DNA sequence: TTGTACGCGTTATCAA
DNA sequence: TTGATAACGCGTACAA
């Protein structure tokens, strides 16, 4: 910028004024300056700018797993909206580990991101403290941590799972296995509550042996499903609380020499783009990824624009049960 | 840092010395300073540091599509290695669009990333110029742009596709449809070359009508496959040049009332984690995503460490044909 | 309308 | 071993 000022024969203040359009400059000088900028190939140094303004125009995005199609869909939307608004986004993955989560957030905070969008891993109080000390706008997505008063966009998990289980019950299933996510998360909890609620509504007694923890991961879900499948009286249907886990469930079913939906019905949370071309066509709960991403981005943008300390907003969206062909009617006579 | 120095009763230089361990400090002062740091809750400002040192400890990662499982797998590995080395990574998506690509790179450059890892979209000369002017370490992954002399890690695309087509030919297929990626990319080109080479080796005449451009996207591939399927003498097998496109191919097959592999065999580039649990079990070319990510991260780290202008290194890895059950033997008697 | 000069939080150089 | 001070590149009062 010094160079530009020198070659244009003006002061740096004037150059700054035209670069930022912050003050009126005579068209003659503006021309000289613009020429000089083009000639030198000058680009404003965002680091120095950030140091001065205290804003990096960067926001941190923390998710559990970049390999999970649900998260990537949401990330794509968020990035799109934020980029359009002039923000860069820094993406970090926690691998569902609270320790890594703290490291990643610390990394982001070090780099002075202006805001944070987080899908929390674990209901850790550490997160609460870190966020408090950070003192920057934060929006929680997918999962919320109780005790953290922040903007959030979540799903009505309970309602969604209840719909799915209602559907299975309507098909005649009474022994429905449930592969749960980690109960340290609001999603894990909410979805399980939906399962239990549906059972209660249908007058089906709860059987704890039918509920296994899969921690939202394929491998754990595989083991969990295995335990379900070797039961003397195995369930006639299995519901998986997310997309990664249903892969594990299907592998377990295959390895046990069973077939879906002939021998066992399967349904899961989260949709796949290929769900209606590959067999079995999975009956799933599709999340409104587009809306989730847009709302999350908009919430953080609002906070960034209005420093006002108005109360946190929580946006609750609905999932949509998408019925395909992985679930079969069942009657007791089918054995099992 | 001023505050720390004040409360510890020392100069900022001394504080800096203990924070960075850059100069020996008497244990007494060190103690005072560490206490002061703890008391104040001081955290070093990375922005100011970057302004001074000229390094942001951040590297930019540019891919086409965060929704593509191949890219996400690679990104996960790269992030892991780079984080471990103390670098943050800023992820951007180009959506296969050279214009967006230039914008995203510009965004990254503005923020003074120390290095760039790019999966180029289009063989654009613009990229060459941008990179040249950027003057920072760059490694290309997946695709290379001719004329850009940079470190790169790519696949032997030609060999891999040739293996797959050889396999189909061995099964008796002679009319093999090919859904190509954009021919502006080295991958699109290399893979098509593999297809043509395999045909030549087998003495099968080239039929341009069997080659359709799908631009690496599901929707375009759907249309391309449709054109193949309505041909009077439709192909007995289709090869798709990537993972997104094979979904489109399968949708086209379904919409035409055809079945795979009964009516038509299908194979594709890129593997899926669920490929052997959902039907048809796709025969694919699996890329060594772990190795790609590790090499890419290592190359950029090397460049960052040694400013030496040693010649660019190109690492070429091999794909692995993974045979499942989406391809059937074919004889002319089968009709078609 | 334009220019001067200071400060943002660090690090690096040099002198003490 | 420690401290004073000059950059790093930019924005912005304030003065002209």
């Amino acid at each position: 910028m010094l160079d530009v000022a020198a070659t244009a024969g003006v002061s740096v203040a004037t150059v700054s004024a035209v670069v930022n359009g912050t003050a009126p400059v005579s068209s003659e000088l503006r021309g000289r300056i613009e020429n000089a900028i083009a000639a030198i190939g000058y680009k404003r140094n965002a680091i120095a700018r950030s140091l001065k303004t205290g804003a990096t125009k960067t926001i941190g995005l923390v998710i559990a797993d970049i390999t999970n199609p649900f998260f990537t869909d949401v990330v794509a939307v968020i990035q799109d909206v934020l980029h359009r608004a002039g923000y860069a986004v820094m993406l970090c993955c926690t691998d569902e580990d609270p320790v890594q989560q703290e490291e990643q957030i610390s990394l982001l905070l070090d780099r002075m991101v202006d805001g944070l969008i987080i899908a929390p891993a674990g209901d850790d109080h550490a997160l609460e403290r870190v966020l408090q000390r950070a003192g920057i706008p934060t929006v929680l997505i997918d999962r919320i941590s109780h005790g953290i008063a922040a903007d959030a966009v979540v799903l009505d998990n309970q309602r969604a799972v209840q719909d799915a289980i209602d559907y299975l019950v309507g098909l005649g299933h009474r022994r429905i296995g449930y592969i749960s996510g980690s109960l340290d998360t609001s999603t894990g909890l909410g979805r399980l509550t939906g399962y239990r609620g549906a059972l209660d509504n249908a007058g089906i007694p709860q059987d704890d042996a039918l509920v296994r923890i899969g921690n939202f991961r394929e491998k754990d879900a595989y083991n969990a499903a295995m335990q379900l499948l070797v039961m003397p009286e195995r369930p006639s249907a299995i519901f998986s609380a997310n997309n990664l886990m249903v892969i594990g469930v299907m592998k377990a079913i295959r390895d046990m020499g069973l077939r879906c939906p002939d021998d066992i019905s399967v349904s899961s949370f989260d949709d796949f783009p290929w769900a209606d071309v590959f067999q079995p066509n999975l009956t799933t709960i599709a999340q409104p990824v587009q809306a989730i991403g847009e709302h999350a981005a908009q919430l953080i943008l609002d906070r960034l624009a209005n420093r006002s300390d108005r109360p946190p907003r929580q946006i609750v969206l609905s999932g949509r049960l998408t019925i395909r062909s992985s679930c079969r009617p069942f009657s007791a006579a089918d054995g099992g």
Side-chain angles (χ1 to χ4, degrees), chain A:
Chain A
M1 185 148 144
L2 259 54
D3 299 337
V4 174
T7 51
V10 297
S11 79
V12 287
T14 315
V15 176
S16 177
V18 8
V19 169
N20 298 306
T22 162
V25 174
S26 70
S27 56
E28 191 223 329
L29 282 196
R30 161 170 298 122
R32 288 225 309 269
I33 290 172
E34 279 166 355
N35 285 342
I37 287 178
I40 309 238
Y42 163 80
K43 295 205 69 177
R44 160 173 84 186
N45 183 324
I47 300 295
R49 179 191 173 81
S50 295
L51 180 59
K52 183 64 186 174
T53 62
T56 51
K57 282 288 185 180
T58 302
I59 93 109
L61 182 48
V62 181
I63 60 174
D65 180 9
I66 195 188
T67 269
N68 183 326
F70 164 67
F71 284 125
T72 56
D73 282 356
V74 175
V75 168
V77 176
I78 291 178
Q79 273 193 334
D80 192 43
V81 178
L82 255 25
H83 276 162
R84 240 191 277 286
Y87 283 84
V89 2
M90 223 146 156
L91 180 65
C92 291
C93 302
T94 64
D95 206 20
E96 302 279 5
D97 175 4
V99 177
Q100 278 196 57
Q101 173 171 273
E102 203 163 338
E103 288 173 9
Q104 306 290 13
I105 292 180
S106 179
L107 183 94
L108 258 15
L109 255 25
D110 279 355
R111 286 182 175 62
M112 299 273 162
V113 294
D114 296 340
L116 238 25
I117 299 180
I118 307 179
D123 198 12
D124 208 347
H125 283 293
L127 178 61
E128 192 182 338
R129 273 185 291 115
V130 169
L131 255 30
Q132 200 119 40
R133 206 164 42 184
I136 58 175
T138 302
V139 2
L140 268 22
I141 57 173
D142 188 42
R143 343 218 249 221
I144 50 175
S145 275
H146 295 295
I148 301 185
D151 292 331
V153 22
V154 296
L155 215 72
D156 186 345
N157 288 290
Q158 185 175 342
R159 171 84 261 146
V161 173
Q162 202 160 328
D163 287 349
I165 303 298
D166 282 353
Y167 166 69
L168 286 170
V169 168
L171 250 28
H173 295 276
R174 291 182 64 82
R175 288 184 62 72
I176 302 172
Y178 183 86
I179 310 291
S180 173
S182 161
L183 295 181
D184 290 341
T185 64
S186 64
T187 44
L189 231 38
R191 291 173 194 179
L192 181 56
T193 305
Y195 166 79
R196 292 202 195 282
L199 257 34
D200 285 346
N201 288 349
I204 299 175
Q206 306 282 344
D207 180 353
D208 284 347
L210 288 176
V211 176
R212 306 282 172 166
I213 307 297
N215 286 322
F216 289 134
R217 322 178 99 119
E218 181 188 321
K219 200 164 173 357
D220 292 348
Y222 176 86
N223 296 329
M226 272 299 187
Q227 294 175 348
L228 250 28
L229 296 177
V230 298
M231 290 173 73
E233 192 186 358
R234 71 156 190 265
S236 62
I238 294 182
F239 183 86
S240 157
N242 88 337
N243 50 6
L244 264 26
M245 294 198 297
V246 78
I247 307 289
V249 170
M250 296 305 291
K251 284 189 178 169
I253 289 173
R254 177 202 59 192
D255 289 354
M256 287 295 289
L258 265 22
R259 288 169 49 187
C260 165
D262 311 77
D263 302 313
I264 190 164
S265 292
V266 173
S267 175
S268 82
F269 219 95
D270 297 321
D271 203 17
F272 294 100
W274 43 266
D276 42 36
V277 288
F278 285 85
Q279 302 287 343
N281 297 147
L282 242 29
T283 289
T284 63
I285 295 169
Q287 296 202 50
V289 287
Q290 180 80 23
I292 294 174
E294 282 172 359
H295 276 120
Q298 207 48 60
L299 281 177
I300 198 91
L301 251 20
D302 284 356
R303 279 286 169 201
L304 256 16
N306 316 303
R307 307 210 41 72
S308 69
D309 290 317
R310 56 179 171 189
R313 282 191 288 168
Q314 302 232 134
I315 295 177
V316 180
L317 303 171
S318 299
R320 186 171 44 77
L321 179 63
T322 305
I323 295 175
R324 297 198 183 88
S325 54
S326 62
C327 302
R328 274 270 174 89
F330 177 86
S331 67
D334 292 359

